[in-house]
């Protein structure tokens, strides 16, 4: 049986290794990254490619903090009265 080795490139998230939903196989690694960066929830920042997963590691890799950390807590809605002399 004859076989042939084929080398291809598939972009993956630099944080978790997840592949884009349409993980087409490309001859050129730069094309693989470019195509993944065009996916709606994928982000390319410099040499970093990050999928759309929302957790603190991915959010930090995208250059921001986790949205969960930005949600107000009950303490944010507390009113403290102080006595005026």
């Amino acid at each position: 049986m004859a076989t042939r080795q084929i080398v291809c490139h598939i972009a993956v998230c630099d944080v978790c290794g997840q592949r884009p939903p349409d993980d087409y196989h490309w001859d050129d690694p730069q094309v693989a990254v470019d195509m993944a960066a065009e996916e709606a929830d994928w982000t390319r920042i410099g040499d970093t490619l990050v999928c759309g997963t929302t957790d603190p590691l991915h959010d930090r890799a995208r250059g921001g903090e986790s949205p969960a950390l930005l949600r107000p807590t009950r303490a944010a809605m507390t009113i403290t009265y102080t006595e005026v002399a």
Side-chain angles (χ1 to χ4, degrees):
M1 180 182 301
T3 63
R4 178 174 44 149
Q5 181 178 6
I6 299 172
V7 177
C8 66
H9 300 274
I10 300 171
V12 296
C13 175
D14 285 317
V15 177
C16 68
Q18 178 178 319
R19 297 195 244 179
D22 297 327
D23 62 347
Y24 298 110
H25 300 234
W26 303 97
D27 293 333
D28 184 317
Q30 188 59 48
V31 172
V33 171
D34 292 343
M35 297 308 290
E38 289 182 13
E39 293 288 333
D41 57 348
W42 283 63
T43 306
R44 178 174 37 191
I45 303 169
D47 291 336
T48 304
L49 184 65
V50 184
C51 71
T53 301
T54 54
D55 64 19
L57 289 176
H58 285 82
D59 294 332
R60 213 170 297 127
R62 282 189 287 272
E65 291 298 321
S66 170
L69 298 175
L70 302 176
R71 290 189 197 120
T73 63
R74 288 184 68 164
M77 305 308 275
T78 301
I79 299 172
T80 305
Y81 296 96
T82 56
E83 186 176 335
V84 179

PDB file of all heavy atoms in Angstrom, residues 4-21:
ATOM      1  N   ARG A   4       1.899   8.603   1.468  1.00  0.00           N
ATOM      2  CA  ARG A   4       2.663   9.823   1.287  1.00  0.00           C
ATOM      3  C   ARG A   4       2.453  10.666   2.524  1.00  0.00           C
ATOM      4  O   ARG A   4       1.326  10.825   3.005  1.00  0.00           O
ATOM      5  CB  ARG A   4       2.158  10.568   0.057  1.00  0.00           C
ATOM      6  CG  ARG A   4       2.853  11.883  -0.188  1.00  0.00           C
ATOM      7  CD  ARG A   4       2.422  12.520  -1.488  1.00  0.00           C
ATOM      8  NE  ARG A   4       0.986  12.452  -1.684  1.00  0.00           N
ATOM      9  CZ  ARG A   4       0.271  13.349  -2.328  1.00  0.00           C
ATOM     10  NH1 ARG A   4       0.854  14.380  -2.871  1.00  0.00           N
ATOM     11  NH2 ARG A   4      -1.030  13.221  -2.473  1.00  0.00           N
ATOM     12  N   GLN A   5       3.530  11.229   3.066  1.00  0.00           N
ATOM     13  CA  GLN A   5       3.414  12.089   4.238  1.00  0.00           C
ATOM     14  C   GLN A   5       3.047  13.491   3.778  1.00  0.00           C
ATOM     15  O   GLN A   5       3.629  14.032   2.843  1.00  0.00           O
ATOM     16  CB  GLN A   5       4.728  12.143   5.007  1.00  0.00           C
ATOM     17  CG  GLN A   5       4.649  12.987   6.238  1.00  0.00           C
ATOM     18  CD  GLN A   5       5.964  12.997   7.017  1.00  0.00           C
ATOM     19  OE1 GLN A   5       6.965  12.458   6.570  1.00  0.00           O
ATOM     20  NE2 GLN A   5       5.938  13.589   8.184  1.00  0.00           N
ATOM     21  N   ILE A   6       2.050  14.072   4.436  1.00  0.00           N
ATOM     22  CA  ILE A   6       1.611  15.419   4.129  1.00  0.00           C
ATOM     23  C   ILE A   6       1.790  16.261   5.393  1.00  0.00           C
ATOM     24  O   ILE A   6       1.319  15.892   6.461  1.00  0.00           O
ATOM     25  CB  ILE A   6       0.134  15.449   3.688  1.00  0.00           C
ATOM     26  CG1 ILE A   6      -0.048  14.623   2.430  1.00  0.00           C
ATOM     27  CG2 ILE A   6      -0.338  16.866   3.475  1.00  0.00           C
ATOM     28  CD1 ILE A   6      -1.498  14.450   2.033  1.00  0.00           C
ATOM     29  N   VAL A   7       2.466  17.377   5.253  1.00  0.00           N
ATOM     30  CA  VAL A   7       2.665  18.286   6.375  1.00  0.00           C
ATOM     31  C   VAL A   7       1.705  19.455   6.203  1.00  0.00           C
ATOM     32  O   VAL A   7       1.630  20.050   5.131  1.00  0.00           O
ATOM     33  CB  VAL A   7       4.120  18.794   6.427  1.00  0.00           C
ATOM     34  CG1 VAL A   7       4.285  19.799   7.551  1.00  0.00           C
ATOM     35  CG2 VAL A   7       5.078  17.636   6.585  1.00  0.00           C
ATOM     36  N   CYS A   8       0.944  19.744   7.241  1.00  0.00           N
ATOM     37  CA  CYS A   8       0.021  20.867   7.187  1.00  0.00           C
ATOM     38  C   CYS A   8       0.077  21.621   8.506  1.00  0.00           C
ATOM     39  O   CYS A   8       0.653  21.152   9.486  1.00  0.00           O
ATOM     40  CB  CYS A   8      -1.397  20.401   6.887  1.00  0.00           C
ATOM     41  SG  CYS A   8      -2.116  19.401   8.179  1.00  0.00           S
ATOM     42  N   HIS A   9      -0.545  22.779   8.517  1.00  0.00           N
ATOM     43  CA  HIS A   9      -0.539  23.634   9.702  1.00  0.00           C
ATOM     44  C   HIS A   9      -1.976  23.964  10.092  1.00  0.00           C
ATOM     45  O   HIS A   9      -2.801  24.287   9.240  1.00  0.00           O
ATOM     46  CB  HIS A   9       0.226  24.927   9.422  1.00  0.00           C
ATOM     47  CG  HIS A   9       1.643  24.690   9.043  1.00  0.00           C
ATOM     48  ND1 HIS A   9       2.642  24.547   9.964  1.00  0.00           N
ATOM     49  CD2 HIS A   9       2.218  24.529   7.819  1.00  0.00           C
ATOM     50  CE1 HIS A   9       3.779  24.330   9.332  1.00  0.00           C
ATOM     51  NE2 HIS A   9       3.542  24.300   8.034  1.00  0.00           N
ATOM     52  N   ILE A  10      -2.239  23.868  11.396  1.00  0.00           N
ATOM     53  CA  ILE A  10      -3.536  24.238  11.966  1.00  0.00           C
ATOM     54  C   ILE A  10      -3.236  25.175  13.125  1.00  0.00           C
ATOM     55  O   ILE A  10      -2.431  24.851  14.000  1.00  0.00           O
ATOM     56  CB  ILE A  10      -4.298  23.001  12.489  1.00  0.00           C
ATOM     57  CG1 ILE A  10      -4.538  22.012  11.371  1.00  0.00           C
ATOM     58  CG2 ILE A  10      -5.599  23.418  13.141  1.00  0.00           C
ATOM     59  CD1 ILE A  10      -5.093  20.682  11.831  1.00  0.00           C
ATOM     60  N   ALA A  11      -3.855  26.333  13.137  1.00  0.00           N
ATOM     61  CA  ALA A  11      -3.645  27.284  14.229  1.00  0.00           C
ATOM     62  C   ALA A  11      -4.275  26.743  15.509  1.00  0.00           C
ATOM     63  O   ALA A  11      -5.302  26.058  15.471  1.00  0.00           O
ATOM     64  CB  ALA A  11      -4.252  28.631  13.875  1.00  0.00           C
ATOM     65  N   VAL A  12      -3.655  27.053  16.637  1.00  0.00           N
ATOM     66  CA  VAL A  12      -4.187  26.669  17.949  1.00  0.00           C
ATOM     67  C   VAL A  12      -4.060  27.862  18.896  1.00  0.00           C
ATOM     68  O   VAL A  12      -3.193  28.728  18.718  1.00  0.00           O
ATOM     69  CB  VAL A  12      -3.476  25.439  18.550  1.00  0.00           C
ATOM     70  CG1 VAL A  12      -3.700  24.211  17.702  1.00  0.00           C
ATOM     71  CG2 VAL A  12      -1.999  25.687  18.737  1.00  0.00           C
ATOM     72  N   CYS A  13      -4.899  27.885  19.901  1.00  0.00           N
ATOM     73  CA  CYS A  13      -4.857  28.937  20.920  1.00  0.00           C
ATOM     74  C   CYS A  13      -3.560  28.812  21.712  1.00  0.00           C
ATOM     75  O   CYS A  13      -3.184  27.713  22.134  1.00  0.00           O
ATOM     76  CB  CYS A  13      -6.065  28.792  21.842  1.00  0.00           C
ATOM     77  SG  CYS A  13      -6.067  29.938  23.243  1.00  0.00           S
ATOM     78  N   ASP A  14      -2.868  29.926  21.928  1.00  0.00           N
ATOM     79  CA  ASP A  14      -1.623  29.919  22.694  1.00  0.00           C
ATOM     80  C   ASP A  14      -1.847  29.643  24.175  1.00  0.00           C
ATOM     81  O   ASP A  14      -0.905  29.289  24.887  1.00  0.00           O
ATOM     82  CB  ASP A  14      -0.891  31.255  22.538  1.00  0.00           C
ATOM     83  CG  ASP A  14      -0.226  31.390  21.177  1.00  0.00           C
ATOM     84  OD1 ASP A  14       0.390  30.414  20.721  1.00  0.00           O
ATOM     85  OD2 ASP A  14      -0.333  32.471  20.568  1.00  0.00           O
ATOM     86  N   VAL A  15      -3.082  29.784  24.649  1.00  0.00           N
ATOM     87  CA  VAL A  15      -3.368  29.560  26.064  1.00  0.00           C
ATOM     88  C   VAL A  15      -3.758  28.108  26.325  1.00  0.00           C
ATOM     89  O   VAL A  15      -3.223  27.455  27.213  1.00  0.00           O
ATOM     90  CB  VAL A  15      -4.475  30.516  26.564  1.00  0.00           C
ATOM     91  CG1 VAL A  15      -4.823  30.231  28.018  1.00  0.00           C
ATOM     92  CG2 VAL A  15      -4.045  31.963  26.385  1.00  0.00           C
ATOM     93  N   CYS A  16      -4.697  27.574  25.530  1.00  0.00           N
ATOM     94  CA  CYS A  16      -5.240  26.244  25.836  1.00  0.00           C
ATOM     95  C   CYS A  16      -5.028  25.197  24.741  1.00  0.00           C
ATOM     96  O   CYS A  16      -5.313  24.024  24.948  1.00  0.00           O
ATOM     97  CB  CYS A  16      -6.722  26.341  26.153  1.00  0.00           C
ATOM     98  SG  CYS A  16      -7.744  26.804  24.730  1.00  0.00           S
ATOM     99  N   GLY A  17      -4.568  25.614  23.561  1.00  0.00           N
ATOM    100  CA  GLY A  17      -4.331  24.657  22.489  1.00  0.00           C
ATOM    101  C   GLY A  17      -5.566  24.306  21.674  1.00  0.00           C
ATOM    102  O   GLY A  17      -5.497  23.469  20.773  1.00  0.00           O
ATOM    103  N   GLN A  18      -6.686  24.941  21.967  1.00  0.00           N
ATOM    104  CA  GLN A  18      -7.927  24.672  21.221  1.00  0.00           C
ATOM    105  C   GLN A  18      -7.771  25.114  19.776  1.00  0.00           C
ATOM    106  O   GLN A  18      -7.118  26.092  19.472  1.00  0.00           O
ATOM    107  CB  GLN A  18      -9.078  25.431  21.876  1.00  0.00           C
ATOM    108  CG  GLN A  18     -10.396  25.283  21.167  1.00  0.00           C
ATOM    109  CD  GLN A  18     -11.504  26.022  21.903  1.00  0.00           C
ATOM    110  OE1 GLN A  18     -11.574  26.004  23.116  1.00  0.00           O
ATOM    111  NE2 GLN A  18     -12.363  26.673  21.160  1.00  0.00           N
ATOM    112  N   ARG A  19      -8.407  24.364  18.877  1.00  0.00           N
ATOM    113  CA  ARG A  19      -8.385  24.710  17.459  1.00  0.00           C
ATOM    114  C   ARG A  19      -9.629  25.518  17.101  1.00  0.00           C
ATOM    115  O   ARG A  19     -10.662  25.396  17.752  1.00  0.00           O
ATOM    116  CB  ARG A  19      -8.394  23.443  16.610  1.00  0.00           C
ATOM    117  CG  ARG A  19      -7.194  22.573  16.805  1.00  0.00           C
ATOM    118  CD  ARG A  19      -7.146  21.584  15.686  1.00  0.00           C
ATOM    119  NE  ARG A  19      -7.301  20.223  16.156  1.00  0.00           N
ATOM    120  CZ  ARG A  19      -7.301  19.184  15.341  1.00  0.00           C
ATOM    121  NH1 ARG A  19      -7.207  19.340  14.051  1.00  0.00           N
ATOM    122  NH2 ARG A  19      -7.412  17.975  15.813  1.00  0.00           N
ATOM    123  N   PRO A  20      -9.539  26.327  16.036  1.00  0.00           N
ATOM    124  CA  PRO A  20     -10.727  27.054  15.579  1.00  0.00           C
ATOM    125  C   PRO A  20     -11.809  26.078  15.127  1.00  0.00           C
ATOM    126  O   PRO A  20     -11.508  24.932  14.767  1.00  0.00           O
ATOM    127  CB  PRO A  20     -10.227  27.875  14.390  1.00  0.00           C
ATOM    128  CG  PRO A  20      -8.752  27.893  14.504  1.00  0.00           C
ATOM    129  CD  PRO A  20      -8.367  26.654  15.246  1.00  0.00           C
ATOM    130  N   PRO A  21     -13.068  26.518  15.116  1.00  0.00           N
ATOM    131  CA  PRO A  21     -14.155  25.628  14.699  1.00  0.00           C
ATOM    132  C   PRO A  21     -13.946  25.061  13.292  1.00  0.00           C
ATOM    133  O   PRO A  21     -14.224  23.904  13.043  1.00  0.00           O
ATOM    134  CB  PRO A  21     -15.404  26.491  14.754  1.00  0.00           C
ATOM    135  CG  PRO A  21     -15.010  27.795  15.315  1.00  0.00           C
ATOM    136  CD  PRO A  21     -13.540  27.836  15.480  1.00  0.00           C
TER     137      PRO A  21
END
